[in-house]
């Protein structure tokens, strides 16, 4: 590449043309279409690009390389002049970018394709573009535009004889409504899709409709819906309906995370992430990773939660649903630990790669589900800061949305933070039991529920509502063990007001003064890691066992939200930690 860049432009083009001619007729085997498309574009040979790039993109898509497929279709678009041909290529680029999880590129390509189909008077193709565009609008937080676009696609197709395209439009609107936390229309549109798909013997669309219906029912806590969703998921995998199966994985894990069903999270999360990763289905892989981070938060695995959230923020191509959920998790971990950077975690800045030729793209708003999780984060953070006005402002709109969606656990959590800050109101119908028990003052039963579920933070907070020193002291100790410094400080304040003395003041000052919460020994180990020493060498220098150093290094990686020693060194340098050792 360095040599190529050093050549004069005319020489480069000539060499690419020569390579194109030679590679088009290999001595053995079939031509490499992707390689031919590359040389054709570099040679500015429009006819060759349009000949090789689309089939190379289709090949990439067929083996689960959707990012490469989108890039190849985009290459063909740059050389297409005919309106209908260009619009078809833009449709394909949008679809592949969507599957890969790049919603901004997909939306831009889809909007341009839509304009082309309208210009050409291609009604069916226009409806197809509208269908995808509406799904993308939801991913970018434009709920009303998404629903309006989905309905417009159906209106166009209903002027034609009913067929598979209409069934797909119905199920697409069902999925949009489900993701928009509007369960009744989601089920209704899903039923219409199911009926039409059965008439045309369209198994894939029928399976997709069953996933949407089962997903809505599962997220509302219906056991029959959970069973239906699990059964349909296995059927989609067996039939090779990859996007449908990925969608089913997201619904199933989302329902499990909401209800704190960690056994189901363990059964489906890793399996779903692997399934989507193997097929480059970033649209569903990223939400699954973010949901896993939320599950780790609820289980008290805060370092794992922060690492998972950071991974989403580091790898997501668009600031949409998954990054919004990840931000809520990261902000809560930092707020609970009393770490800095809470506002930074919630700050939706435009990534550098979304600044295009001096024109900054609008940052996508979070979709409804992510809005609710963000509201939960803002509410708890406001409670930790003793800001009742902030709690109310964070929860008013989100609580109404959660009630409409029938999201019992989210309703309960939002109502719980309002109650904790003194907002007196009737508990919304259908709120999850553990939260209702706390609000009613049944702290012991609430604590038992949270303990049975495996949620130590919520269990400790339930004990904090007891009226005796022993339980308050237990709540304080459990919060201290979790590293929940902010909540522990609130409980400690209450204990001191009751005359209790001798409470630990939290971590050592040396630990508290560094942003990552590293101990003095961990800072010492980090300094030696940064010098390139291996664990055995560090152990020898500090006169401790190698196993002890293993534990210190693992703790350092976890606290810095990094995966490798090199990443830890870079992050430590950024935070100014190496200068402290």
């Amino acid at each position: 590449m360095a040599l190529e860049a050093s050549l004069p432009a005319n020489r480069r083009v000539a060499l690419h043309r020569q390579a194109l001619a030679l590679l088009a007729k290999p001595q053995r085997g079939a031509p490499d279409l992707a390689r031919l498309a590359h040389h054709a574009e570099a040679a500015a040979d429009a006819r060759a690009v349009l000949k090789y790039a689309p089939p190379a993109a289709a090949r990439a898509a067929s083996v689960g390389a959707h990012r490469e497929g989108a890039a190849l279709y985009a290459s063909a678009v740059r050389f297409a002049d005919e309106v209908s041909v260009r619009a078809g290529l833009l449709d394909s680029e949008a679809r592949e970018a969507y599957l890969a999880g790049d919603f901004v590129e997909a939306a831009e390509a889809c909007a341009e394709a839509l304009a082309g189909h309208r210009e050409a008077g291609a009604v069916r193709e226009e409806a197809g573009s509208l269908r995808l565009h509406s799904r993308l609008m939801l991913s970018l937080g434009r709920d009303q535009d998404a629903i309006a676009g989905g309905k417009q696609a159906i209106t166009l197709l209903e002027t034609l004889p009913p067929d598979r395209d209409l069934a797909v439009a119905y199920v697409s609107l069902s999925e949009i409504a489900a993701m928009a936390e509007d369960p009744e229309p989601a089920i209704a549109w899903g039923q219409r899709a199911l009926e039409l798909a059965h008439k045309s013997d369209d198994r894939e669309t029928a399976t997709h409709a069953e996933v949407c219906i089962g997903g809505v029912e599962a997220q509302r806590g219906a056991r029959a819906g959970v069973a239906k969703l699990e059964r349909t998921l296995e059927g989609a995998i067996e039939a090779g309906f990859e996007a449908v199966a990925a969608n089913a994985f997201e619904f199933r894990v989302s329902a499990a995370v909401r209800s704190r069903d960690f056994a189901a999270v363990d059964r489906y999360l890793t399996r779903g992430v692997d399934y989507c990763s193997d097929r480059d289905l970033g649209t569903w892989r990223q939400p699954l990773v973010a949901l896993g981070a939320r599950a780790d938060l609820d289980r008290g695995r805060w370092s794992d939660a922060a690492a998972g959230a950071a991974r989403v923020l580091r790898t997501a191509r668009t600031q949409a649903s998954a990054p919004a959920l990840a931000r809520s998790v990261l902000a809560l971990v930092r707020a609970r630990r009393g770490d800095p950077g809470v506002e930074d975690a919630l700050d939706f800045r435009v990534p550098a790669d979304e600044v295009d030729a001096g024109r900054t793209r609008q940052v996508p708003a979070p979709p409804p589900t992510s809005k609710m999780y963000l509201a939960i984060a803002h509410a708890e953070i406001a409670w930790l800061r003793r800001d009742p006005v902030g709690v109310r402002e964070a929860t008013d709109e989100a609580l109404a949305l959660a009630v409409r969606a029938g999201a019992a656990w989210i309703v309960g959590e939002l109502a719980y933070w309002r109650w904790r800050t003194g907002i007196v109101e009737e508990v919304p119908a259908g709120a999850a039991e553990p939260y209702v028990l706390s609000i009613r003052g049944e702290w012991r039963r609430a604590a038992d529920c949270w303990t049975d579920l495996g949620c130590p933070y919520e269990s400790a907070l339930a004990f904090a509502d007891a009226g005796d020193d022993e339980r308050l002291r237990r709540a304080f100790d459990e919060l201290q063990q979790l590293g929940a410094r902010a909540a522990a400080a609130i409980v400690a304040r209450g204990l001191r007001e009751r005359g209790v003395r001798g409470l630990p003041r939290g971590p050592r000052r040396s630990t508290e003064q560094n942003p990552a919460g590293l101990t003095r020994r961990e800072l010492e180990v980090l300094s030696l890691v940064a010098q390139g020493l291996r664990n055995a060498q560090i152990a020898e220098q500090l006169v401790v066992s190698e196993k002890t150093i293993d534990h210190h290094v693992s703790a350092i990686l976890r606290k810095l939200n990094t995966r490798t020693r090199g990443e830890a060194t870079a992050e430590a340098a950024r935070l100014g930690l190496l200068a402290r050792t």
Side-chain angles (χ1 to χ4, degrees), residues 171-192:
V171 79
S172 179
L173 193 51
S174 173
E175 182 183 352
I176 289 168
M179 302 300 286
E181 300 290 347
D182 203 355
E184 301 305 333
I187 292 173
W189 288 113
Q191 292 289 1
R192 293 180 69 173

Side-chain angles (χ1 to χ4, degrees), residues 171 190 194 198 205-215 228-229 232:
V171 79
L194 196 57
H198 283 322
T205 303
T207 302
H208 193 180
E210 289 174 345
V211 164
C212 292
I213 295 168
K228 180 191 300 181
L229 182 58
T232 309

Side-chain angles (χ1 to χ4, degrees), residues 15-40 42 48 51-52:
L15 287 170
H16 279 293
R17 287 177 179 170
Q18 186 178 358
L20 180 63
L22 291 169
L23 294 171
K25 298 177 181 179
Q27 294 181 353
R28 294 184 303 277
D32 184 333
L33 296 175
R35 194 173 178 189
L36 288 168
H38 164 73
H39 288 296
K51 178 180 179 181
Y52 296 122

Side-chain angles (χ1 to χ4, degrees), residues 419-443:
W419 165 76
R420 275 207 165 276
T421 49
I423 299 174
V424 179
E425 60 191 354
E426 186 176 349
V427 181
E433 181 186 21
Y435 294 113
V436 174
L437 290 172
S438 283
I439 293 171
R440 289 177 179 170
E442 300 181 46
W443 62 266

Side-chain angles (χ1 to χ4, degrees), residues 232-514:
T232 309
L233 167 60
E234 301 305 331
I237 293 172
E238 183 178 350
F241 304 149
E242 294 182 353
V244 176
N247 196 13
F249 270 120
E250 183 181 352
F251 273 126
R252 183 64 190 97
V253 173
S254 177
V257 171
R258 285 191 187 188
S259 61
R260 310 316 198 260
D261 183 355
F262 301 127
V265 171
D266 290 338
R267 283 198 303 274
Y268 289 100
L269 178 61
T270 301
R271 186 181 171 203
V273 170
D274 289 345
Y275 184 91
C276 295
S277 297
D278 290 345
R279 293 158 181 81
D280 196 19
L281 298 172
T283 289
W284 297 278
R285 180 184 63 247
Q286 294 285 22
L288 286 170
V289 176
L291 285 165
R294 173 68 203 202
D296 283 332
L297 177 80
D298 294 334
R299 297 166 98 163
R301 303 174 179 178
W302 294 352
S303 293
D304 291 339
R311 186 160 59 251
V312 172
L313 296 174
R314 188 169 57 245
T315 59
R317 294 190 175 95
T318 306
Q319 292 293 305
S321 57
L325 175 54
R327 288 181 181 282
S328 73
V329 170
L330 190 57
L332 279 175
V333 171
R334 291 177 178 175
R336 289 178 181 181
R337 287 176 166 172
D339 290 343
V342 175
E343 283 73 20
D344 288 344
L346 293 170
D347 185 14
F348 283 70
R349 298 176 183 174
V350 181
D353 61 356
E354 290 192 13
V355 178
D356 183 17
R359 175 178 61 86
T360 303
R361 296 173 177 168
Q362 182 178 2
V363 180
T369 303
S370 299
K371 285 179 183 176
M372 294 192 296
Y373 279 116
L374 283 166
I376 288 169
H378 281 289
E380 182 180 340
I381 291 165
W383 172 72
L384 291 170
R385 293 172 174 174
R386 292 183 288 174
D387 176 13
V389 174
V391 173
R392 185 183 287 276
E393 290 176 349
T395 56
D396 278 344
E397 182 182 348
L399 183 57
L401 173 59
V403 169
R404 185 195 74 181
W409 288 84
I410 294 177
V411 168
E413 191 162 4
L414 291 166
Y416 173 77
W417 293 119
R418 291 167 71 86
W419 165 76
R420 275 207 165 276
T421 49
I423 299 174
V424 179
E425 60 191 354
E426 186 176 349
V427 181
E433 181 186 21
Y435 294 113
V436 174
L437 290 172
S438 283
I439 293 171
R440 289 177 179 170
E442 300 181 46
W443 62 266
R444 190 187 302 275
R445 290 182 60 196
D448 288 343
C449 283
W450 289 120
T451 299
D452 291 342
L453 288 167
C455 299
Y457 182 68
E458 289 78 4
S459 176
L461 289 181
F463 276 111
D465 296 326
D468 62 87
D469 294 352
E470 181 183 349
R471 267 73 176 195
L472 284 170
R473 183 61 184 257
R474 174 174 173 178
F476 175 78
D477 290 342
E478 290 181 357
L479 290 168
Q480 284 280 86
Q481 288 176 0
L482 281 167
R485 289 184 285 179
I490 292 173
V491 176
R493 190 180 306 115
L495 282 166
R496 292 189 182 101
E497 288 172 357
R498 298 168 64 93
V500 177
R501 296 292 179 264
L503 296 174
R505 294 283 180 175
R508 293 181 179 180
R509 187 169 184 81
S510 60
T511 301
E512 203 168 37
Q513 285 178 338
N514 73 75

